[in-house]
Amino acid sequence: MRTIRVETSAATILLTEAPEPKVRDRQSGEIAKDAVSGEALMTLGVVYIEEGESSLIKVTVPESGVSEGLALGAPVFLPGLIARPWESVFNGQQRHGIAFRAAAVTPAAFPATVGASA
């Protein structure tokens, strides 16, 4: 499956939903695991802001990649952020979208304002 690396150096990314376990099966409550490492996965919500436009996205990270010190509304860094297009058929309806995954989520600083003086 094709993955697309997301360049984040020019973006501001703010945490909007705290990390929580990613549920694989809602009926049983089974937590999703990484297919390679077997590690539990977490999901979090962020607003991705770049060039005056913003998008709310959900990002999956391994449990060990969730750093201490995360605060809602604060900037975060998502190293190794990738986008993976997907599609499936559910109840006879074709669905599609983009899944986002990062190696970790860590606190970041707000970018410097252009033209700001110290």
Side-chain angles (χ1 to χ4, degrees):
M1 187 178 293
R2 180 167 171 80
T3 61
I4 302 161
R5 190 169 53 95
V6 179
E7 175 57 51
T8 61
S9 62
T12 298
I13 304 170
L14 306 175
L15 185 65
T16 58
E17 295 178 32
E20 59 184 37
K22 181 174 184 172
V23 178
R24 182 175 193 268
D25 183 335
R26 293 181 188 182
Q27 290 182 350
S28 69
E30 178 186 1
I31 302 301
K33 307 271 186 197
D34 182 270
V36 175
S37 70
E39 183 176 3
L41 297 174
M42 307 289 282
T43 59
L44 54 110
V46 299
V47 61
Y48 184 97
I49 307 166
E50 186 175 22
E51 296 182 3
E53 295 187 21
S54 64
S55 298
L56 291 170
I57 61 172
K58 292 273 193 183
V59 180
T60 299
V61 296
E63 188 173 33
S64 64
V66 177
S67 297
E68 295 291 323
L70 298 174
L72 291 179
V76 293
F77 176 59
L78 297 168
L81 182 62
I82 60 167
R84 177 178 288 140
W86 62 268
E87 65 178 49
S88 67
V89 176
F90 182 74
N91 287 338
Q93 298 284 343
Q94 180 134 7
R95 301 176 61 195
H96 61 276
I98 300 173
F100 293 91
R101 179 138 180 196
V105 56
T106 62
F110 280 106
T113 305
V114 175
S117 57

